[in-house]
Amino acid sequence: MGSWVCLTSGVGSVTVSGALPRRALSALLLQNPISLLPSYQFHHNRRRVCASASSGAKELQQQQYLRSPDLVALEYADLNLTDKISEELGHVRIRQHVNPLSSSLSVPVEVPDWNQVFRDPTLPLMVDIGCGSGRFLIWLAKRNLVMRNYLGLEIRKKLVKRAEFWVKDLALSNIYFMFANATTSFQQLVSTYPGPLMLVSILCPDPYFKKRHHKRRVVQKPLVDSIVSNLMPSGQVLMQSDVLEVALDMRNQFDSQPQVLKHIHEIDSSVLCDSEGWVLSNPMGIRTEREIHAEFEGAKIYRRIYQKQM
């Protein structure tokens, strides 16, 4: 079950309350073009958000409830992703944990024929390690059809199959998803790609809280070395987590390459960071699903951007 949001809109003294499905909300917004960009008040103890918007056209006040997954659906609504998935795929669990050190994931995947995968395999490439459902990467790909290619790596096979279904449904030719363990497959995949590697993102990876499971965390020295060696000059790494311990762990790994990687605030003073050096705003234009859930709960996103030196 997701958290719930209390969404209040309208003016006057009449109050209407009840559960509001996502489709009903969309219809409501179309019928009542009031401002839905209000200031939000977070009530962390009750795990809800109250948002108020007013209109002088009618005396109507409506109070409705949303689950947090509905917030994700609204943020990605313009993708129009179908809910009809094949029977073979079945139910998909987004937060299912997979052990990346299992024997089945220890063998590097076969490198695809990049000419078959992308319409133009010479375009700059963004790789999203641990891409989850793929919505984030699909959103980017749809907006950069002729400028960049996108590769999503994920160790949850059902998520990859669903993402492939969506890509085919949208007829996108600049994005590809692979069931692959980045720890064992990243090097051979990106080293064979014909174009430049311009951006690698690692966004809210599995935290593996138990100390004995820390070795399962995706950001380890071999992967960092591979990322750095394959990045194009001025290529970037975007890392973030809503778990401070995990963010610090990733930060320490990338900070260990000071001669090759510089944090963005050392290069571009216009990028705002807090006193601890965490980038304050999302630079991608849209939040990941985990980011949406975490911020809804009032959590902070710990974010760093590194750039490879010439």
Side-chain angles (χ1 to χ4, degrees), residues 83-246:
D83 291 328
K84 296 179 180 179
I85 307 297
S86 67
E87 293 182 3
E88 176 186 355
L89 180 58
H91 178 64
V92 178
R93 291 181 59 196
I94 293 180
R95 293 300 295 173
Q96 177 185 1
H97 291 287
V98 177
N99 181 3
L101 302 181
S102 64
S103 58
S104 62
L105 293 170
S106 62
V107 180
V109 297
E110 182 179 349
V111 176
D113 182 344
W114 298 114
N115 290 293
Q116 295 295 321
V117 167
F118 297 118
R119 181 179 57 188
D120 181 358
T122 66
L123 291 176
L125 178 70
M126 172 184 173
V127 179
D128 188 24
I129 295 176
C131 60
S133 74
R135 287 183 177 91
F136 170 74
L137 214 58
I138 291 173
W139 189 91
L140 293 174
K142 193 174 180 182
R143 280 155 182 75
N144 297 281
L145 292 174
V146 298
M147 297 174 58
R148 299 173 186 170
N149 287 330
Y150 297 86
L151 177 64
L153 306 180
E154 176 57 53
I155 61 174
R156 296 163 179 82
K157 198 167 188 176
K158 281 192 174 182
L159 293 184
V160 174
K161 286 185 174 294
R162 185 176 65 179
E164 290 173 338
F165 180 91
W166 284 337
V167 168
K168 184 177 180 180
D169 191 52
L170 294 172
L172 298 175
S173 60
N174 66 330
I175 183 170
Y176 188 64
F177 290 97
M178 294 187 69
F179 171 57
N181 184 354
T183 302
T184 57
S185 299
F186 181 87
Q187 173 62 31
Q188 71 175 41
L189 287 173
V190 299
S191 64
T192 60
Y193 180 74
L197 177 63
M198 63 165 291
L199 175 62
V200 176
S201 58
I202 308 172
L203 310 176
C204 299
D206 285 341
Y208 295 108
F209 291 108
K210 295 179 180 179
K211 188 173 182 179
R212 69 176 185 271
H213 291 162
H214 285 185
K215 59 186 177 182
R216 297 182 182 181
R217 290 178 177 176
V218 66
V219 178
Q220 307 286 348
K221 187 178 186 303
L223 179 61
V224 172
D225 290 342
S226 182
I227 291 173
V228 171
S229 64
N230 285 283
L231 269 179
M232 63 179 286
S234 298
Q236 295 184 332
V237 178
L238 169 62
M239 50 140 283
Q240 70 179 33
S241 177
D242 58 305
V243 179
L244 178 58
E245 177 194 345
V246 175

Side-chain angles (χ1 to χ4, degrees), residues 242-259:
D242 58 305
V243 179
L244 178 58
E245 177 194 345
V246 175
L248 288 172
D249 190 19
M250 292 193 291
R251 177 175 179 167
N252 290 338
Q253 292 284 355
F254 286 105
D255 280 353
S256 67
Q257 305 259 5
Q259 302 304 317

Side-chain angles (χ1 to χ4, degrees), residues 7 9 16-33 36 62-66 70 73-74 77 83:
L7 177 61
S9 63
V16 179
S17 301
L20 184 66
R22 172 162 51 95
R23 295 176 186 267
L25 176 65
S26 299
L28 176 64
L29 302 187
L30 291 174
Q31 296 169 9
N32 300 277
L36 283 180
Q62 298 169 322
Q63 187 177 46
Q64 306 291 356
Y65 292 89
L66 291 175
D70 292 322
L74 288 172
D83 291 328

Side-chain angles (χ1 to χ4, degrees), residues 51-63:
S52 298
S54 60
S55 171
K58 298 178 181 179
E59 288 197 356
L60 177 65
Q61 186 177 54
Q62 298 169 322
Q63 187 177 46

